[in-house]
Amino acid sequence: MLEKINLPIDLKDKTIKEKEELASDIRKLIIETVSKNGGHLASNLGVVELTIALHSVFDAPKDKIIWDVGHQSYVHKILTGRKEQFGTLRQKDGIAGFPKITESEYDCFNTGHSSTSISAALGMAKARDILKEDYKVIAVIGDGALTGGMALEALNDAGYSKTDLIVVLNDNEMSISKNIGGMASFLAKLRTRRAYTNMNRVVKNGLGKIPYIGKRTISGVQKIKSGLKHLFIPKMFFEDIGYKYLGPVDGHDIDKMMDLFKIAKTTEGPVLIHVVTKKGKGYKPAEEEPDKFHSTGSFNIETGKKNSSGKDYSRIFGEKLVELAKKDQRIVAVTASMKEGTGLLKFEHEFPDRFFDVGIAEQHALGFAAGLAKAGLKPVIPIYSSFLQRGYDQVIHDVCIQNLPVVICVDRAGIVGNDGETHQGIFDLSFLNTIPNLTIMAPKNFNELEDMLELAVNTEMPVAIRYPRGLEDTSLSSFKSPVEIGKCEVIKDGNEVAIFSIGKMTATALKVSSISNKDIAVINVRTLKPIDKKTIIDFAEKTKNIITIEDNIITGGLGETIQSVLRENNNFATIKCYGYPTEFVKHASVGEIEEMYGLNAEKIAKDIDDTFWKRPKNCEPYCATETYIPDYITKFKKMKKSIDFCNKNVISL
Ligand SMILES: Cc1ncc(C[n+]2csc(CCOP(=O)(O)OP(=O)(O)O)c2C)c(N)n1
């Protein structure tokens, strides 16, 4: 069937049976591709029929379908002209793992972070009405994403607005792991309503066929039924806040879903359709362990076994936290629905009473952690760097103004790779760097992460520790010295150039020093805030040439911090900063991205040997980042006067 379908229009004349055949073809394609490229498997397998039904009833791209989080948009991509490219999923220059407006007109809104779809849908619906246009707007949101504050804020606003818009609630009882919280319990009650409705039908169809007892039993059961109804059917929260509620409907029954979508299409005002799906549907290992196949690397289709690669930073963090928590009863852990990814499973198992999963709610998680800290506990809260962006104000307002001892562990910092722009963690050093009272640390390897965590939980103030996704670079294993807040670690001395690096980039710096033909010192910054000014100035005076390397944007990060230290101290060492430009970095592997942005050791070493030393004569000293150099060279050449001035004076660029 898949061969016959290129665009949603091709679905319109197909029978339900053909669509079911198509569902099976799509599942096969997704399993094959994700088993090679990695990606979000279980969520996509759960929405195959739902996506087919949506595209059968609605008319994309005229009608706008917004996928919350967007990790479940593979089926949508396959049905909207991208099945041929599907093999390139998440690869460099291939199709993205999330909806992208630049990739297809069928992707009407970029997503990647949770709980944004209803806000965007309401915005589009309002714009449509003001501009007197005619199309439908549909937000597809999971029960997990519905625990996010932004989704609840939007649900509240959209219900009250009376605007025509459709919310499809994809309820599979799972966030990444089992969904929790009051909303999850409420949805469970709504599902009971379906069980209750089904029971009614079973009673009629089944008991009715048994001679003698049939009819009398049915009427007896029906009497009980009306009594039960009031007991078991919960009050309709969605209806009370302004939605027409349809469902719950079996999310693997294309026919039934299409019926409800058709009703929704002609209904005025906000409509919420409750669709019940099974995460991982159609692939046994994913059905049995949907959490393990939520986001996966490559795996063996036959066995479901992953091609795993050993311990990573998250796991080291989790194990060390358990060790520390055994000694200190005040340590508690908080997660915003990311206990697997951040390495907290062991902690949850060992200390269920000291473990809190608050739903996909980073803002609440940080506010809650602040409360825990204020009342005497030591909360440790691991959050992926890009999701911490959600909680910026909470870090300032709830944690740091009160100087509370909350330890924020910024996981997946730097480039994460194939998940792309929405997930790259390249802004955290910059935005955290602005916050008073906050100490910011970054370990060069596993061992240093353990030491920093121990130091942080014993420091009565807010601390952020940022570390990357994946494995450590073992080249630094022999470099061990006690971690001190505000102190760099000199890995290697040198006389011609000093490289200041942070976190995992210290391994790159060491490699640069071994490839380059200059005599290079390597300094592991360790704490970005407070920064070790003395070591910076000492090396600037000694080498006169400073290089910084970070896996963050240079703006506001390590590079600019060291530049300002030099400026503040009237030091005129040459400085060149390696890091990411202030731009959104697309999906590709980490290695490919580092190569593209000139952040691998070979490129930096070559740059140092070839270019960095070719400074215009007569205009030393100067202080510039790479981007400024060509401009100033030209200007200096043109303006002799300026060169003379430069020779005599300090130019701070
Ligand atoms: C702000 C934010 N926090 C965390 C995540 C990581 N995340 C991706 S999908 C997901 C679970 C989503 O659950 P649900 O909406 O029910 O969709 P399902 O995968 O179950 O279909 C989480 C926590 C995210 N994308 N955005």
Side-chain angles (χ1 to χ4, degrees):
M1 271 313 293
L2 188 52
E3 276 175 24
K4 298 185 185 152
I5 309 288
N6 286 313
L7 292 170
I9 192 133
D10 303 327
L11 286 169
K12 307 288 177 186
D13 61 348
K14 299 292 177 288
T15 65
I16 295 296
K17 204 160 176 312
E18 286 172 322
K19 287 177 187 173
E20 284 166 356
E21 210 181 298
L22 173 68
S24 159
D25 291 353
I26 290 176
R27 281 205 168 85
K28 228 192 251 164
L29 176 61
I30 290 178
I31 294 167
E32 270 167 21
T33 309
V34 177
S35 74
K36 289 185 207 126
N37 299 11
H40 289 90
L41 185 67
S43 313
N44 280 288
L45 295 180
V47 298
V48 178
E49 288 82 6
L50 167 58
T51 313
I52 293 173
L54 276 171
H55 278 301
S56 299
V57 173
F58 294 100
D59 300 313
K62 182 173 162 271
D63 291 338
K64 315 292 176 205
I65 303 173
I66 305 169
W67 299 93
D68 205 284
V69 185
H71 63 311
Q72 78 295 51
S73 60
Y74 299 176
V75 191
H76 160 81
K77 294 199 176 203
I78 291 167
L79 292 176
T80 54
R82 285 167 277 181
K83 69 173 182 201
E84 303 302 342
Q85 297 121 284
F86 196 66
T88 68
L89 180 73
R90 305 171 81 245
Q91 308 294 297
K92 183 171 179 271
D93 302 323
I95 62 169
F98 293 87
K100 296 277 173 241
I101 52 174
T102 47
E103 190 178 286
S104 163
E105 59 176 336
Y106 290 88
D107 294 0
C108 66
F109 200 82
N110 281 15
T111 47
H113 290 195
S114 171
S115 318
T116 65
S117 63
I118 306 176
S119 301
L122 181 59
M124 284 187 176
K126 284 281 184 204
R128 171 201 61 203
D129 295 347
I130 289 170
L131 299 171
K132 303 209 179 331
E133 290 177 331
D134 179 26
Y135 55 85
K136 298 287 162 197
V137 185
I138 306 108
V140 185
I141 182 164
D143 54 316
L146 201 62
T147 61
M150 191 171 164
L152 296 171
E153 290 166 29
L155 203 65
N156 173 50
D157 190 23
Y160 180 72
S161 75
K162 314 262 186 298
T163 308
D164 283 359
L165 108 161
I166 298 165
V167 177
V168 175
L169 171 58
N170 169 26
D171 177 8
N172 54 23
E173 300 177 50
M174 300 287 292
S175 187
I176 290 179
S177 39
K178 186 99 187 124
N179 199 16
I180 40 92
M183 184 59 80
S185 314
F186 168 66
L187 294 178
K189 283 188 194 153
L190 284 184
R191 286 192 299 272
T192 320
R193 174 169 130 154
R194 182 176 68 148
Y196 162 84
T197 316
N198 284 349
M199 180 184 81
N200 202 21
R201 206 172 50 233
V202 170
V203 167
K204 270 194 183 158
N205 295 347
L207 289 185
K209 284 179 193 149
I210 304 173
Y212 307 114
I213 54 163
K215 272 200 168 150
R216 290 185 66 180
T217 314
I218 291 170
S219 70
V221 169
Q222 278 177 339
K223 269 189 200 146
I224 300 168
K225 182 201 86 176
S226 63
L228 283 177
K229 184 173 173 179
H230 296 290
L231 270 182
F232 289 127
I233 298 181
K235 279 210 183 102
M236 279 307 302
F237 165 72
F238 293 121
E239 285 178 358
D240 289 347
I241 64 165
Y243 293 81
K244 287 176 192 98
Y245 172 90
L246 297 172
V249 60
D250 179 350
H252 302 293
D253 186 327
I254 297 174
D255 201 14
K256 279 201 188 123
M257 275 187 290
M258 284 178 61
D259 283 347
L260 290 196
F261 294 155
K262 282 176 194 160
I263 295 171
K265 209 173 167 177
T266 54
T267 303
E268 283 183 1
V271 179
L272 186 138
I273 305 165
H274 186 177
V275 177
V276 178
T277 60
K278 184 164 183 55
K279 206 161 172 169
K281 175 88 174 170
Y283 180 57
K284 208 159 168 260
E287 282 191 17
E288 284 170 357
E289 295 186 300
D291 46 349
K292 298 222 168 68
F293 285 92
H294 175 84
S295 169
T296 176
S298 58
F299 62 92
N300 179 308
I301 297 180
E302 303 304 317
T303 61
K305 284 229 163 72
K306 300 198 183 180
N307 308 322
S308 80
S309 44
K311 283 194 181 183
D312 58 13
Y313 275 94
S314 312
R315 186 130 158 232
I316 297 295
F317 154 78
E319 286 174 3
K320 182 69 183 179
L321 190 65
V322 167
E323 183 197 311
L324 294 169
K326 279 184 182 155
K327 292 185 239 157
D328 187 344
Q329 304 286 319
R330 289 169 60 207
I331 292 176
V332 293
V334 181
T335 179
S337 207
M338 299 296 289
K339 62 181 177 185
E340 290 90 356
T342 59
L344 281 181
L345 287 178
K346 198 169 171 199
F347 190 100
E348 180 190 25
H349 184 255
E350 300 261 342
F351 311 104
D353 298 339
R354 290 155 64 187
F355 168 82
F356 304 97
D357 183 347
V358 301
I360 311 178
E362 289 78 9
Q363 294 160 294
H364 162 55
L366 284 154
F368 171 63
L372 291 167
K374 184 72 186 73
L377 295 179
K378 291 181 178 174
V380 177
I381 169 164
I383 307 190
Y384 287 10
S385 167
S386 69
F387 305 148
L388 179 61
Q389 289 159 198
R390 284 270 160 102
Y392 184 57
D393 185 52
Q394 282 71 19
V395 180
I396 295 177
H397 175 272
D398 298 285
V399 177
C400 289
I401 289 181
Q402 303 181 83
N403 208 12
L404 294 171
V406 173
V407 179
I408 303 164
C409 292
V410 189
D411 196 334
R412 306 301 198 268
I415 292 295
V416 296
N418 305 79
D419 279 337
E421 289 143 304
T422 51
H423 285 59
Q424 313 291 15
I426 54 173
F427 304 114
D428 61 272
L429 284 182
S430 311
F431 68 73
L432 293 174
N433 212 0
T434 59
I435 304 177
N437 287 348
L438 183 68
T439 293
I440 306 169
M441 298 196 266
K444 67 178 185 288
N445 61 10
F446 289 170
N447 191 262
E448 211 161 270
L449 170 60
E450 292 174 332
D451 291 353
M452 285 181 178
L453 189 59
E454 184 157 3
L455 183 63
V457 296
N458 291 309
T459 309
E460 296 294 322
M461 57 188 188
V463 178
I465 306 172
R466 62 110 67 179
Y467 44 89
R469 174 172 191 231
L471 313 178
E472 70 173 347
D473 186 319
T474 49
S475 65
L476 294 162
S477 306
S478 58
F479 299 99
K480 283 185 190 162
S481 61
V483 176
E484 269 183 80
I485 291 176
K487 280 262 148 47
C488 294
E489 176 193 35
V490 179
I491 299 271
K492 179 178 168 289
D493 204 355
N495 290 306
E496 289 182 285
V497 182
I499 304 183
F500 285 84
S501 56
I502 190 152
K504 75 164 218 178
M505 300 316 278
T506 301
T508 308
L510 188 64
K511 204 164 168 201
V512 170
S513 76
S514 68
I515 303 171
S516 164
N517 52 33
K518 303 288 172 220
D519 181 16
I520 296 180
V522 175
I523 300 112
N524 172 22
V525 169
R526 279 185 169 167
T527 37
L528 177 68
K529 202 157 89 53
I531 192 98
D532 182 352
K533 293 182 182 176
K534 184 174 178 320
T535 307
I536 295 168
I537 297 301
D538 286 352
F539 273 94
E541 280 172 4
K542 177 165 145 183
T543 64
K544 310 261 185 309
N545 294 295
I546 301 287
I547 278 179
T548 64
I549 312 181
E550 64 197 302
D551 50 347
N552 192 81
I553 56 167
I554 295 168
T555 314
L558 176 69
E560 284 201 351
T561 303
I562 292 190
Q563 282 186 35
S564 69
V565 171
L566 296 180
R567 242 178 277 143
E568 220 177 79
N569 289 276
N570 295 330
N571 184 290
F572 313 117
T574 304
I575 175 163
K576 188 161 177 181
C577 305
Y578 293 87
Y580 292 96
T582 307
E583 65 183 52
F584 297 112
V585 175
K586 289 213 170 76
H587 59 278
S589 72
V590 176
E592 286 166 337
I593 291 170
E594 287 181 346
E595 170 81 22
M596 273 190 286
Y597 285 88
L599 267 180
N600 59 27
E602 291 73 15
K603 282 205 165 174
I604 298 174
K606 189 167 181 329
D607 208 17
I608 291 173
D609 293 347
D610 294 355
T611 330
F612 187 38
W613 303 95
K614 292 183 185 149
R615 288 179 242 159
K617 280 183 191 140
N618 303 326
C619 74
E620 277 187 290
Y622 65 79
C623 175
T625 61
E626 183 182 25
T627 37
Y628 299 138
I629 292 170
D631 270 343
Y632 277 86
I633 293 172
T634 330
K635 279 184 191 160
F636 287 140
K637 275 184 183 161
K638 279 188 185 159
M639 296 189 289
K640 177 82 172 67
K641 250 175 137 186
S642 302
I643 296 173
D644 297 333
F645 178 78
C646 180
N647 277 329
K648 285 188 227 116
N649 298 282
V650 176
I651 302 271
S652 172
L653 306 180

